[in-house]
Amino acid sequence: MVNADIEIETLAEFDQVVARGSLSGYRIQSVNLLERTFALLSVDTSAAVFLGCAMEPDAAAKVRGDGALVFPPVPDLPFNPYRGLLYSPEELFAGLGEGYEATQDAQTYAWFQETKADADVFSSMLRSVHDDAISDALDEHLAGARVAGVMGGHAMSRGSAEYRGAAELGRALTRAGLTVATGGGPGAMEAANLGAYLAPAPDAALGEALELLAKVPSFTPSVSDWARAAFAVRDRWPGGGDSVGIPTWFYGHEPPNPFAGHIAKYFANATREDGLLARSGAGVVFLPGAAGTVQEIFDSATPNYYASRGEPAPMILVGRAHWTEHLPAWPLLQALARGRAMESRIALVESVDEVPDVLASMS
């Protein structure tokens, strides 16, 4: 059976396994093996799988001769389809000094725009392989974690009371021992990741950070200025708390926020949406949002309704007027839940201050 114990994702892991005498049956993901030719020539690599590992030609010939499968690196791509680990903010925003357009994130989106409509099976295969690798890395990263999802719109402005509330929520959930997961973009998503990032810092740090960020309230008109403001906060308070952002290049006009410690960025939005909600087993908090957040409410409600993922995950909607008058999702959610196991796992609250206690009571 294939499991994470036979996956090798770093050179250090590779060296440890080689020291035990065999690579047979292992899956080696995107490890540069150009300087490990002797090791590859010396150990058994039968039934191994090499995914995007650079190696010298004689090493590649030998492992193929052993019966290993070798998927070579794909040249001239702005992303690595075989990657074994989640993205970091530093990786996606590398090159920001020259402007956002120079970053890996922007260049990958540009590649996606060029290839998504060309009906090229190779391009679509690369996107699928990449997204599957990201899902695998996300599952490994979150193994054993109690994950709480925070959903909300991208339009929430830095400097607003709503942004502050979302940040305080992310901080409170993180301090309660939960791993915050968001859609990874700007607005409410960024605010929740910011709160998680500053959870280890003194309480006053959040207010100071909000003042710094308010100088660049939105990612429009300049993603570069928006991202630089976020990295300035990270530099001011290094070594922040961890959280997860799960964005998508499908919404390429929305950049990922730099406050998520680990970023699982996908090409396929449907895979990303379902994965984010499915992994939020400790509950999902829905802040005021528009169409995207409404979709997430009912994407979460459907498996709870049918109990297709086991015990229903708590769902908390924040903002009574928003969810009963402006976008009346709450009455419909109540009607769906009536008489089912999920009925005791849904709640409507007025403010984010109420969320931690309500979530704890449902758990």
Side-chain angles (χ1 to χ4, degrees), residues 40-113:
L40 291 169
L41 294 175
S42 303
V43 300
D44 179 16
T45 59
S46 60
V49 179
F50 293 84
L51 298 167
C53 298
M55 19 178 159
E56 296 292 350
D58 53 344
K62 184 267 181 184
V63 300
R64 287 192 177 98
D66 281 351
L69 288 176
V70 179
F71 294 79
V74 181
D76 302 322
L77 281 180
F79 65 96
N80 177 4
Y82 305 113
R83 60 180 303 114
L85 303 171
L86 297 178
Y87 291 101
S88 69
E90 293 83 0
E91 182 179 4
L92 285 178
F93 284 97
L96 182 62
E98 301 174 20
Y100 174 68
E101 295 74 16
T103 66
Q104 181 185 5
D105 187 63
Q107 291 175 0
T108 301
Y109 176 60
W111 176 90
F112 183 35
Q113 289 292 95

Side-chain angles (χ1 to χ4, degrees), residues 232-300:
V233 168
R234 288 174 54 96
D235 291 342
R236 173 71 177 80
W237 292 277
D242 190 30
S243 65
V244 174
I246 308 180
T248 173
W249 280 293
F250 182 81
Y251 295 131
H253 61 287
E254 294 182 19
N257 80 73
F259 292 115
H262 292 82
I263 300 174
K265 191 153 191 179
Y266 288 87
F267 288 105
N269 186 51
T271 304
R272 165 253 191 176
E273 287 274 10
D274 184 67
L276 170 56
L277 295 167
R279 290 173 175 87
S280 299
V284 186
V285 182
F286 299 92
L287 301 173
T293 310
V294 171
Q295 176 182 342
E296 288 162 347
I297 289 173
F298 293 104
D299 280 348
S300 184

